[in-house]
């Protein structure tokens, strides 16, 4: 028996939090069908999410989002901090007088805030008459769809039936760490990388990537091997005695550091800020495809032109007036502008502009516009053909994700101080991790430089900080859904099927496959529809199982990141339930 009014939510991080928020907003409306909600969280830290709980992060990790950028919750982050006792604030290294909406605070502080909002929302739902069942430290091992409900099985073998299940499990790394070889498949939990109490890593440490995750590693290790201090207004790093061999070397294919925090006109992204859904859908061709260049010409070109004009960048405005200037040309020109021979000198040069932007509230319009435009495209990427998915992932997103990484200025100060102290370097080149250990049990990597020059480097400790990758179907955490073909690989069709093989880049041939005799490209992860319902082998969406986990769905939603995407994704899922019952609430949650 599958209780139709019982909802299960797997995970209790930000995606689940915003699902509860939108459920609570509509709890008293017609069509709010759930009488019971059960949530399952594999960790003991309910309501925080992986990046924000103390099992994974430490006090040195800053969030890269301010209170003003967090979508609405019962209480804003800044107001919640203002309401905390001074002792709690001191535990979070926060000075009460400094709290404001535009500042960034530690990830652990953000986690405690998110947990408080989670518990508040559970209380609101309980007051609305919904029965809540909490299952902390309880992993879900499998799901089985029977056609009229879903059976959930925990890792302990306990089964329970539900009318609907939402998967909101967040980050998960499938490659195991190999500590005997000094290799770590992810930085998390960060504590596994730290030296023993009273000890040091008195040797060079390598990272794959120079992302914000890499800087979490840098920050934690730096604070365990020295301290930061200000002299004459300049931040410097002072290594502890006996740490002469300690150093961190980041390896990045492009040799770029993330761009810095910038002021924004509108801190919250909106799906339809620059174009409405009807107008966007009208841009599809006769085959149902939304071509990347069409989207650029009809939507992006006029928006970016206005943004560059506001930013006093007349050359970019002139380029955009040329119909032969394409999407990839924009990326190339902007990449050239930010391609520094020495990335650290480039970061120091950008610091002046970034401080001017943040301190004096002077927005960088083109970055904000670019972010908005790609956010819109993200929620309609299922209409892109395979050829455009390849262009998007290969040429546009790598640049854009670096540009909008928005590293806090205080973090950039620390990065520059470490580099000046000789404790942090960055090398350009594509890295291959070799499956062999040296005499000291370390990891060997091969770095491909330009002009076919290769270099072999050995590290006693090497950490993959390249970020969460889309999972393969074999790694999907619910094996019965895979075996029953309730879930399938995400895919995109080719506009020119006869040219499919030639369009796929070298090394990606395994992503090419046939579906009903037509060549398709596996974009990564699993297939979902616009309402995040699983799509099975027959191509039909499953009305009982939604998957909101970004590592699972990034093949279809390639530009989903952060709390704002969690909020908009949750709103889309909730709306689908009201659409299914044909009983929309009087004031449905808006989809921005």
């Amino acid at each position: 028996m599958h209780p139709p009014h019982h909802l299960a939510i797997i995970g209790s991080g930000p995606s689940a939090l915003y699902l509860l928020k939108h459920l609570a907003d509509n709890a008293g409306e017609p069509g709010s069908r759930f009488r019971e909600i059960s949530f399952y969280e594999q960790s003991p830290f309910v309501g925080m999410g992986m990046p924000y709980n103390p099992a994974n992060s430490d006090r040195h990790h800053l969030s890269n989002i301010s209170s003003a950028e967090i979508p609405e919750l019962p209480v804003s982050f800044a107001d919640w901090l203002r309401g905390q006792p001074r002792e709690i604030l001191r535990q979070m290294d926060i000075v009460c007088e400094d709290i404001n909406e535009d500042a960034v605070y530690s990830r652990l502080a953000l986690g405690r805030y998110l947990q408080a909002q989670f518990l508040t929302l559970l209380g609101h739902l309980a007051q609305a008459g919904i029965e809540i069942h909490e299952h902390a430290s309880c992993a879900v091992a499998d799901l089985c769809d029977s056609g009229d409900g879903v059976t959930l099985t925990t890792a302990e073998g306990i089964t329970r039936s539900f009318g609907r299940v939402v998967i909101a499990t967040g980050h998960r790394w499938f490659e195991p760490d190999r500590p005997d070889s000094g290799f770590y498949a992810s930085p998390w939990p960060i504590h596994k990388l730290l030296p023993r109490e009273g000890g040091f890593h008195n040797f060079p440490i390598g990272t794959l990537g120079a992302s914000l995750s890499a800087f979490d590693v840098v920050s934690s290790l730096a604070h365990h091997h020295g301290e930061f201090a200000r002299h004459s207004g300049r931040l410097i790093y002072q290594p502890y005695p006996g740490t002469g061999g300690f150093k961190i070397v980041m390896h990045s294919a492009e040799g770029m550091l993330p761009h810095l925090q910038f002021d924004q006109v509108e801190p919250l992204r909106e799906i339809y800020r620059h174009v409405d859904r009807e107008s966007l859908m009208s841009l599809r061709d006769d085959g149902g495809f939304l071509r990347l260049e069409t989207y650029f010409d009809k939507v992006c070109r006029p928006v970016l032109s206005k943004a560059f004009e506001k930013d006093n960048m007349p050359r970019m405005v002139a380029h955009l007036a040329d119909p032969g200037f394409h999407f990839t040309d924009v990326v190339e020109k902007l990449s050239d502008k930010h391609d520094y021979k020495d990335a650290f000198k480039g970061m120091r040069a950008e610091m002046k502009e970034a401080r001017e932007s943040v301190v004096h509230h002077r927005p960088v319009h083109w970055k904000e516009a670019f972010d908005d435009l790609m956010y819109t495209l993200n929620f309609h990427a299922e209409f892109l053909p395979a050829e455009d998915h390849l262009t998007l992932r290969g040429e546009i997103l790598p640049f854009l994700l670096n540009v909008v990484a928005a590293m806090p200025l205080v973090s950039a100060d620390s990065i520059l101080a470490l580099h000046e102290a000789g404790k942090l370097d960055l090398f350009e080149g594509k890295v291959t991790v070799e499956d062999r250990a040296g005499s000291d049990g370390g990891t060997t990597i091969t770095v491909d430089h330009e002009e076919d020059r290769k270099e072999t480097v050995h590290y006693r400790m090497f950490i993959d900080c390249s970020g969460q990758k889309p999972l393969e179907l074999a790694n999907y955490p619910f094996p019965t859904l895979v075996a029953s073909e309730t879930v399938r690989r995400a895919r995109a069709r080719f506009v020119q099927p006869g040219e499919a093989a030639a369009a796929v880049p070298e090394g990606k041939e395994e992503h090419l496959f046939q579906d009903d005799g037509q060549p398709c490209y596996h974009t990564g992860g699993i297939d979902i529809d616009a309402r995040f319902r699983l799509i099975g082998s027959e191509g039909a969406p499953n009305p009982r199982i939604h998957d909101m986990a970004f590592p699972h769905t990034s093949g279809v939603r390639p530009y989903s990141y952060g709390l704002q995407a969690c909020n908009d994704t949750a709103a889309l899922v909730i709306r689908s339930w009201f659409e299914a019952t044909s009983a929309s609430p009087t004031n449905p949650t808006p989809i921005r």
Side-chain angles (χ1 to χ4, degrees), residues 204-283:
I205 297 168
T207 72
L208 177 58
S211 64
L212 294 179
S213 293
F215 291 113
D216 287 334
V217 172
V218 170
S219 179
S220 291
L221 289 175
H223 279 91
H224 278 80
H225 292 81
E227 58 187 10
F228 293 92
R230 286 206 173 270
H231 288 275
S232 302
R234 191 180 184 92
L235 189 70
I236 65 169
Y237 181 70
Q238 299 171 327
Y240 292 143
T243 62
F246 167 71
K247 185 175 185 176
I248 301 174
V249 180
M250 300 179 295
H251 292 270
S252 165
E254 296 81 19
M256 296 175 65
L257 292 169
H259 287 250
L260 305 181
Q261 179 184 3
F262 60 93
D263 192 64
Q264 303 174 74
V265 177
E266 299 288 348
L268 293 175
R269 300 281 69 79
E270 291 187 10
I271 298 178
Y272 297 114
R273 172 164 282 140
H274 298 294
V275 61
D276 59 59
R277 179 175 172 80
E278 183 177 351
S279 298
L280 189 61
M281 291 297 96
S282 71
L283 299 179

Side-chain angles (χ1 to χ4, degrees), residues 7 36 43 163 168 278 287 331 397 404:
L7 167 69
E36 296 181 70
S43 88
E278 183 177 351
V331 171
L397 289 185
V404 300

Side-chain angles (χ1 to χ4, degrees), residues 377-391:
L377 185 64
N378 172 71
F379 286 94
H380 305 84
E382 67 269 28
F383 299 114
L384 293 175
E387 292 94 336
D388 287 351
H389 269 281
L390 289 165
T391 300

Side-chain angles (χ1 to χ4, degrees), residues 252-562:
S252 165
E254 296 81 19
M256 296 175 65
L257 292 169
H259 287 250
L260 305 181
Q261 179 184 3
F262 60 93
D263 192 64
Q264 303 174 74
V265 177
E266 299 288 348
L268 293 175
R269 300 281 69 79
E270 291 187 10
I271 298 178
Y272 297 114
R273 172 164 282 140
H274 298 294
V275 61
D276 59 59
R277 179 175 172 80
E278 183 177 351
S279 298
L280 189 61
M281 291 297 96
S282 71
L283 299 179
R284 291 183 295 169
D285 63 19
D286 292 341
F289 293 117
L290 174 63
R291 298 308 309 267
L292 196 56
E293 280 303 320
T294 302
Y295 179 69
F296 174 69
D297 283 335
K298 302 298 184 182
V299 181
C300 303
R301 191 185 293 272
V303 172
L304 289 173
S305 182
K306 290 179 182 178
F308 285 124
E309 187 173 0
K310 290 178 181 178
D311 291 330
N312 194 27
M313 298 173 66
R315 288 187 179 181
M316 289 303 300
V317 176
H319 284 311
L320 286 166
D322 176 5
F325 192 73
H326 302 298
F327 209 157
T328 53
D329 295 324
V330 175
V331 171
E332 183 179 354
K333 288 292 183 183
L334 293 174
S335 296
D336 290 343
K337 174 180 170 57
H338 296 90
D339 185 13
Y340 304 105
K341 187 174 182 180
D342 183 317
F344 294 99
K345 287 183 179 179
M347 176 175 277
R348 186 165 294 285
E350 285 188 17
M351 283 288 286
K352 182 178 180 181
E353 177 187 356
R355 289 194 192 281
E356 188 79 7
S357 173
V358 173
V359 173
H360 298 288
H361 295 289
R362 293 172 180 166
V364 182
H365 298 90
W366 74 263
K367 291 185 180 182
E368 184 175 342
F370 222 143
D371 198 9
D372 260 325
L373 291 164
M374 296 310 298
Y375 195 64
T376 299
L377 185 64
N378 172 71
F379 286 94
H380 305 84
E382 67 269 28
F383 299 114
L384 293 175
E387 292 94 336
D388 287 351
H389 269 281
L390 289 165
T391 300
L392 181 69
R393 295 165 192 277
E395 301 183 50
I396 297 172
L397 289 185
F399 166 76
L400 186 60
L401 290 171
N402 178 275
V403 165
V404 300
M407 174 179 283
L409 301 186
V410 63
S411 297
D413 271 339
S414 299
I415 294 303
L416 293 173
L418 283 165
H419 178 65
E420 289 176 358
K423 296 298 182 181
L424 181 65
D425 274 331
L426 171 66
F427 290 119
E428 180 180 355
K430 184 177 179 181
V431 169
T432 301
V433 178
E434 304 295 341
D435 191 18
R436 64 178 187 268
S439 58
D440 61 355
T443 294
T444 299
I445 65 170
T446 298
V447 184
D448 289 341
H449 300 283
E450 292 182 357
E451 300 175 355
D452 296 325
R453 184 172 64 87
K454 293 189 177 183
E455 179 184 9
T456 298
V457 187
H458 182 74
Y459 290 102
R460 285 177 60 181
M461 177 182 284
F462 189 79
I463 306 139
D464 188 341
C465 301
S466 58
Q468 180 75 71
K469 300 174 179 62
L471 88 169
E472 295 300 322
L473 193 59
N475 291 326
Y476 196 64
F478 310 110
T480 297
L481 295 182
V482 177
S484 63
E485 298 185 338
T486 305
V487 62
R488 72 178 187 179
R489 291 184 292 176
R491 74 278 312 277
R493 294 182 294 120
F494 287 87
V495 172
Q496 297 179 310
E499 304 295 325
V504 175
E506 184 179 355
K508 300 289 185 181
E509 293 84 1
E510 72 275 9
H511 288 261
L512 186 63
F513 68 99
Q514 296 286 320
D515 182 23
D516 286 336
Q518 293 294 314
C520 290
Y521 184 78
H522 173 41
T523 53
I526 56 101
D527 209 5
I528 54 166
D529 74 351
R531 296 318 192 214
F532 291 80
R533 296 177 295 188
L534 293 184
I535 295 180
S537 60
E538 299 301 317
N542 188 306
R544 293 165 295 280
I545 307 176
H546 299 256
D547 196 328
M548 298 171 60
F550 296 144
H552 300 172
T553 62
S554 59
V556 183
R557 296 285 175 259
Y559 196 65
S560 292
Y561 68 93

